[in-house]
Amino acid sequence: MWFWLIIWILLSAFLLTVFGWSMVILYQQKKAWAAFGKKHGMEYHAGKMTGPPLLTGKLGNYKISLFTDAQRTNDVRGQRFVTVVEIEMGAGMPTAAAIATKEYAAFISTLDLDETWSSDDKDWAASHVIKTRSAERLVTYLTPERLKVLKVLFAKKNSISLLFFDENQSVLRIETSDPLRNPEHMEKITSQLIGLADKLRPPQAAKGSQFSETTGEKENP
């Protein structure tokens, strides 16, 4: 009996410690996101007292959203929380495609993207996923310069990334275990991501041009 009582006490103490530390991180995160949102004129939602915040608005040339997502795990916790940054980059891609780190492979397999494209770049990881509706058209977008940017993005530690687009919209999604609980750190991370988005954005949005529906080549409007 005493053995199980001690186990219960230790387990309760562990859970209380984890909960307490989680609340400290959540408080720091909310404080940082509120300050960042106020500085950049973004819309901040604190959420419930024990719930995560939400931050939306325009940053640079893009609509950007920051939020927390819960994901199931196979360990004793049952779930883990990640910070998600989504950047909407506009229209003008030559075809539909999903380009991502390997963690998104299962999700991408559910999409209506039948063709696989692989890079002959020796530094491009074979585990990265590139699925598209038209490999012939995708190649007009995936220049060596953009592949270089994607390699930098996909190599970031403690994060996974997905670039998903079609002719009408494009979204860059980054998931990280970093709760982003420091305003200065948020400035650094978001500035880096905006810089990468500038190099990945659709040609139409970047240069006022669009791809031809028939040839895949860029045309001036």
Side-chain angles (χ1 to χ4, degrees):
M1 180 178 176
W2 284 106
F3 172 79
W4 291 111
L5 179 60
I6 293 173
I7 292 297
W8 181 83
I9 292 174
L10 291 175
L11 180 59
S12 298
F14 171 76
L15 293 175
L16 285 173
T17 300
V18 170
F19 177 78
W21 181 239
S22 297
M23 289 300 99
V24 170
I25 293 176
L26 180 62
Y27 171 77
Q28 294 173 340
Q29 183 188 55
K30 288 187 174 186
K31 185 177 179 181
W33 288 29
F36 184 87
K38 183 178 181 179
K39 177 180 178 179
H40 293 281
M42 301 176 71
E43 189 173 349
Y44 171 74
H45 300 275
K48 297 180 180 179
M49 182 178 294
T50 58
L54 168 67
L55 191 60
T56 61
K58 190 172 182 181
L59 200 60
N61 295 312
Y62 312 100
K63 179 181 178 182
I64 184 171
S65 301
L66 290 89
F67 56 94
T68 298
D69 190 21
Q71 300 179 342
R72 295 184 63 84
T73 64
N74 295 322
D75 57 22
V76 68
R77 295 175 302 171
Q79 64 179 357
R80 72 185 187 101
F81 295 95
V82 295
T83 302
V84 180
V85 182
E86 286 190 352
I87 303 173
E88 299 181 22
M89 299 191 299
M93 293 296 195
T95 187
I99 309 170
T101 49
K102 62 183 180 180
E103 291 82 2
Y104 279 103
F107 165 73
I108 293 175
S109 67
T110 67
L111 303 177
D112 186 21
L113 300 172
D114 298 328
E115 298 187 25
T116 300
W117 191 87
S118 58
S119 172
D120 56 5
D121 186 332
K122 61 181 179 63
D123 295 324
W124 180 260
S127 60
H128 295 338
V129 183
I130 305 179
K131 297 287 288 185
T132 181
R133 193 170 58 208
S134 171
E136 182 179 1
R137 289 191 176 189
L138 180 63
V139 74
T140 64
Y141 169 76
L142 280 182
T143 61
E145 292 76 16
R146 291 195 179 100
L147 280 172
K148 183 178 180 180
V149 174
L150 287 168
K151 284 190 292 185
V152 172
L153 177 64
F154 290 176
K156 287 187 174 296
K157 294 181 179 180
N158 303 317
S159 67
I160 62 176
S161 303
L162 166 69
L163 175 60
F164 178 70
F165 55 79
D166 59 18
E167 295 86 349
N168 300 312
Q169 62 180 343
S170 52
V171 177
L172 179 61
R173 177 185 172 101
I174 300 94
E175 295 182 15
T176 175
S177 56
D178 187 343
L180 301 180
R181 49 188 172 133
N182 178 285
E184 291 74 24
H185 182 54
M186 288 185 73
E187 291 285 353
K188 179 181 178 181
I189 295 298
T190 54
S191 293
Q192 290 176 348
L193 294 178
I194 291 299
L196 294 175
D198 283 340
K199 298 174 181 178
L200 293 172
R201 68 190 306 195
Q204 178 182 350
K207 301 179 181 179
S209 60
Q210 62 186 14
F211 278 90
S212 165
E213 288 293 325
T214 55
T215 67
E217 296 296 327
K218 285 183 290 185
E219 297 179 332
N220 291 323

